Amino acid sequence: MNTADDPTQNHQTATAEQALVLDDVRKVYRMGDGHEVVALDRARLSVGSDEIVALVGPSGSGKTTLCSIAGGILSATSGRVIVGGRDITDYSERQLTAFRQDMVGFVFQSVNLVPFLTARENLLVVDEMGKRTGAAARRRADQLLDELGLGDRARNLPSQLSGGQRQRVAIGRALMNEPELVLFDEPTSALDTQLGEQVMEIIRTEMKSRQTAAIVVTHDERITQYCDRTVHITDGVLEA
Amino acid sequence: MRFALRELRRRPGRFATATVILTLIAILLMFLGSLLDGLIRSSTGAIRAQDGDVLVYSDASRASLARSLIDPGVRAEIESVPGVVDTGGVGLVQLGARVPGAGERDLAAVALFGVEIPPAGVPEVPPPGQVYADEVLRSDGIAIGTELLLGPARSPVEVIGFVTDTSFIGQGALWSDAATWREVLEQNRPGARVGDEVFQALLVRGDTDADGLAASIDTATGSTESLSITDAANALPGVEEQQGTFNQIIGVTLVIAVVVIGLFFALITVERTALYGVLKALGAHTSTLFAGLVAQAAVVTLIAAVIAAGALIALDAAIPPGGLPLDVTPERIIVSTVLLLIAAIAGCAFSLRRILKIDPASAIGSGS
Ligand SMILES: Nc1ncnc2c1ncn2[C@@H]1O[C@H](COP(=O)(O)OP(=O)(O)O)[C@@H](O)[C@H]1O
Ligand SMILES: [Mg+2]
């Protein structure tokens, strides 16, 4: 955490042990009527390689936008984005696709599992869309499902799972590609308090056992106790 | 691609409408093709059965036996062309035949061929007054031993055997020797009578390639039009027109297939926008997603083609012989299936741009 808040220093040294560096990142949405929305303003953020950062802020403050930029599914209007030592700022769409296959995991705000695939297949779809390692991926999927307490649910469709179970499948899917950084966008918002805490427990265990960095977006202050550090965001402006 | 096939298996209902419509299109396609094949087959059988390489007509006959005459002088010239091994005269007269036991006005349409070289399936040129008949004439009540009375002159011939696939422009053929043909022609069409040794066309057997031989015969005589057997079959009146018309209808049917598949999978793609966004966020390339779509279209098309082929084979079996001239062949079914598959892929191509444009940010952006 010591150097993490100073992303202006030399990237080569700064990023070596950092999962994410946002350097002066700005995101402006241009609306159809020419009107502009500044969703993220001069954001500076470093996340250590096994750090879990809580990102807390009210609705519309730019949390999802920050995750999208960090995960390479949205391009910043200006500033630099470095993930796992790779500067993705100027990546082409193709490079970003490959980057997402390798480097990041997403748990989306709404669960978004593939409805006609079983829990296990929802994990394997990551491999099918990406590297196609086959047997290795199947082993990893089975191991993840076991760890997530879904061993006996592997063959269930999402519609046959509870909300908490679905969220756990989504977590497993985010971990399939052994990412450097996992982005959780309000992972507990659809769950009651108790289930939410269970899911956070699992997230923390999984991240720490793999030494993987994570950003957990929430507007629930209680969730932050499962994280190493909390960053607040208001109207697109970060404050530690 | 795997996940796309899983969707087909787990949600067959989603694809049912497309499968049904495509099955109907496939049936239409295969039916039209088989009908075309059957019509062509029943038009050209007698020519295709010619046991030789080249058929020689006289100049300006436009490959019509009725307009053609080959006299002995020309024949001698042809026989001296290098590469010509054997020749046999061919004559034709198309008549109505009275079948004993059938009604007075119930004539069977026959094409009486007088030949010197027996066609494929006929063991030898029959003796005068006797004929081999095409199988299709069985539906007119003709059997071995039947005595047919040909034309207004009621010239008698006796059926002594049968042969398959020798129809001529939809008529069943009768195969006789040259003298019998000349006699029947003279009795029924006095105006068209031909002298002894005169034929309408000459079948040539050669020892070189047919097209080359045909060309050298025409050069040597200067008064003939020679065609390979295949060309002669295709040159029969109506054959090209039938092929043209049917192929146009088949083409329109394929365009309809492209549109149906295009619309259906465009709709499916729109429905899947969110799903595709998520998969793209997980690292899916557009090409992977498109391949899944094409795989689904291909499977739906194949299922439709298999059902259609089954339906057509059943229909073919149900139609009595001498009814619809349907010729259901594996070639036609395979060709129709391949054409449909190409149409399916072309139809999917309409959705490629839409898949390309789906933004992975849509997966995470408007989550709630
Ligand atoms: N695709 C978009 N187009 C235009 N404006 C957007 C878009 N996505 C988000 N915004 C705007 O950007 C701001 C931040 O949104 P978001 O990052 O979704 O916030 P949060 O996740 O904290 O609720 C909001 O004002 C929102 O309306
Ligand atoms: Mg959000």
Side-chain angles (χ1 to χ4, degrees):
Chain A
M1 244 200 272
N2 33 8
T3 58
D5 292 323
D6 184 13
T8 50
Q9 66 175 260
N10 188 308
H11 293 316
Q12 293 313 107
T13 56
T15 58
E17 69 280 3
Q18 314 242 287
L20 172 68
V21 176
L22 298 182
D23 183 5
D24 232 4
V25 171
R26 197 176 149 82
K27 179 67 189 179
V28 181
Y29 289 109
R30 264 179 203 88
M31 313 304 284
D33 55 6
H35 182 74
E36 291 188 348
V37 177
V38 180
L40 212 54
D41 198 11
R42 317 212 134 253
R44 291 163 179 235
L45 176 67
S46 289
V47 179
S49 65
D50 63 348
E51 198 181 13
I52 304 177
V53 173
L55 182 62
V56 181
S59 180
S61 57
K63 307 182 294 294
T64 297
T65 301
L66 188 148
C67 285
S68 305
I69 289 172
I73 59 176
L74 201 63
S75 293
T77 309
S78 66
R80 305 207 73 75
V81 182
I82 299 151
V83 181
R86 281 161 72 171
D87 188 337
I88 65 166
T89 315
D90 301 318
Y91 271 19
S92 68
E93 223 169 281
R94 225 188 151 69
Q95 285 173 309
L96 282 175
T97 300
F99 160 79
R100 291 196 298 272
Q101 282 179 9
D102 290 350
M103 303 286 282
V104 290
F106 290 101
V107 174
F108 305 104
Q109 209 160 339
S110 61
V111 176
N112 277 329
L113 296 179
V114 182
F116 51 84
L117 296 182
T118 65
R120 186 169 184 264
E121 289 161 357
N122 261 288
L123 266 57
L124 289 173
V125 86
V126 174
D127 186 57
E128 197 190 325
M129 295 297 140
K131 289 210 193 66
R132 305 196 189 166
T133 57
R138 286 193 289 278
R139 250 178 280 122
R140 186 167 173 79
D142 291 334
Q143 188 202 335
L144 278 168
L145 288 169
D146 274 341
E147 283 176 24
L148 295 163
L150 293 165
D152 56 343
R153 292 289 180 179
R155 298 190 182 285
N156 285 95
L157 294 173
S159 58
Q160 300 164 320
L161 298 173
S162 70
Q165 287 168 336
R166 281 202 284 265
Q167 195 58 280
R168 279 183 274 156
V169 174
I171 293 168
R173 182 173 70 179
L175 294 172
M176 268 303 283
N177 58 345
E178 308 186 42
E180 302 274 319
L181 173 68
V182 186
L183 303 156
F184 295 91
D185 196 358
E186 309 201 23
T188 61
S189 63
L191 307 174
D192 64 32
T193 313
Q194 203 194 337
L195 264 179
E197 287 178 359
Q198 268 178 30
V199 165
M200 277 314 298
E201 195 90 56
I202 289 170
I203 288 175
R204 184 167 178 91
T205 314
E206 290 294 327
M207 293 302 114
K208 288 302 170 189
S209 69
R210 294 189 153 69
Q211 306 238 304
T212 302
I215 295 178
V216 181
V217 169
T218 181
H219 37 224
D220 183 351
E221 287 287 350
R222 272 170 308 177
I223 295 300
T224 60
Q225 71 189 71
Y226 295 92
C227 303
D228 300 325
R229 178 159 69 99
T230 301
V231 173
H232 290 272
I233 184 168
T234 322
D235 291 336
V237 179
L238 290 175
E239 41 204 288
Chain B
M1 203 170 298
R2 260 253 215 64
F3 92 100
L5 298 180
R6 283 212 174 91
E7 183 179 19
L8 268 176
R9 228 176 330 127
R10 302 229 171 105
R11 296 176 150 182
R14 274 192 110 199
F15 302 90
T17 318
T19 311
V20 168
I21 296 171
L22 271 176
T23 302
L24 296 176
I25 291 176
I27 290 175
L28 183 59
L29 208 58
M30 292 178 186
F31 177 81
L32 286 169
S34 302
L35 190 58
L36 171 62
D37 292 346
L39 284 171
I40 299 297
R41 195 175 136 98
S42 69
S43 287
T44 61
I47 301 298
R48 282 185 288 107
Q50 292 301 317
D51 193 7
D53 302 299
V54 172
L55 204 57
V56 184
Y57 299 96
S58 58
D59 228 355
S61 67
R62 280 171 287 144
S64 160
L65 285 164
R67 285 192 289 258
S68 175
L69 280 179
I70 301 283
D71 60 41
V74 175
R75 182 172 187 166
E77 279 181 78
I78 293 168
E79 280 171 343
S80 65
V81 171
V84 173
V85 173
D86 194 7
T87 63
V90 179
L92 164 71
V93 57
Q94 290 165 279
L95 295 164
R98 285 182 170 75
V99 184
E104 184 60 18
R105 295 169 166 276
D106 220 1
L107 300 183
V110 299
L112 175 72
F113 281 89
V115 292
E116 294 182 321
I117 297 173
V122 172
E124 56 190 355
V125 175
Q130 299 189 328
V131 295
Y132 282 86
D134 193 280
E135 287 279 354
V136 298
L137 291 171
R138 282 188 196 272
S139 62
D140 292 297
I142 294 171
I144 288 178
T146 302
E147 179 162 283
L148 299 170
L149 301 175
L150 301 183
R154 307 197 177 198
S155 317
V157 292
E158 186 198 353
V159 175
I160 59 164
F162 281 98
V163 55
T164 53
D165 190 18
T166 65
S167 292
F168 183 77
I169 328 260
Q171 295 173 327
L174 298 176
W175 299 93
S176 74
D177 68 333
T180 305
W181 161 68
R182 231 173 246 120
E183 202 178 305
V184 172
L185 182 64
E186 182 173 351
Q187 290 167 354
N188 289 285
R189 304 255 193 279
R193 85 172 283 278
V194 294
D196 287 358
E197 303 308 318
V198 174
F199 285 94
Q200 292 174 331
L202 199 67
L203 177 64
V204 173
R205 287 171 161 172
D207 55 11
T208 60
D209 80 289
D211 290 326
L213 191 59
S216 39
I217 290 170
D218 290 346
T219 312
T221 63
S223 66
T224 56
E225 183 187 353
S226 305
L227 298 169
S228 70
I229 297 302
T230 314
D231 288 350
N234 290 330
L236 287 176
V239 168
E240 265 184 10
E241 290 83 346
Q242 275 176 345
Q243 268 165 343
T245 308
F246 273 76
N247 286 336
Q248 275 174 25
I249 304 174
I250 287 171
V252 170
T253 311
L254 281 170
V255 170
I256 293 171
V258 172
V259 171
V260 166
I261 296 168
L263 284 178
F264 180 78
F265 281 96
L267 209 69
I268 280 207
T269 304
V270 170
E271 279 175 25
R272 282 181 190 155
T273 306
L275 174 62
Y276 281 160
V278 171
L279 293 175
K280 280 192 168 187
L282 296 178
H285 288 284
T286 295
S287 56
T288 311
L289 300 176
F290 184 64
L293 196 73
V294 170
Q296 289 182 334
V299 170
V300 167
T301 305
L302 279 178
I303 292 171
V306 167
I307 299 173
L312 206 68
I313 290 167
L315 177 70
D316 189 33
I319 292 174
L324 212 53
L326 212 54
D327 188 14
V328 181
T329 60
E331 290 84 4
R332 176 54 72 176
I333 286 172
I334 290 167
V335 165
S336 304
T337 305
V338 169
L339 288 174
L340 263 185
L341 279 174
I342 294 169
I345 294 167
C348 285
F350 292 127
S351 297
L352 182 57
R353 233 174 77 86
R354 194 180 292 275
I355 299 177
L356 201 66
K357 278 191 345 204
I358 291 174
D359 187 351
S362 66
I364 200 167
S366 51
S368 59

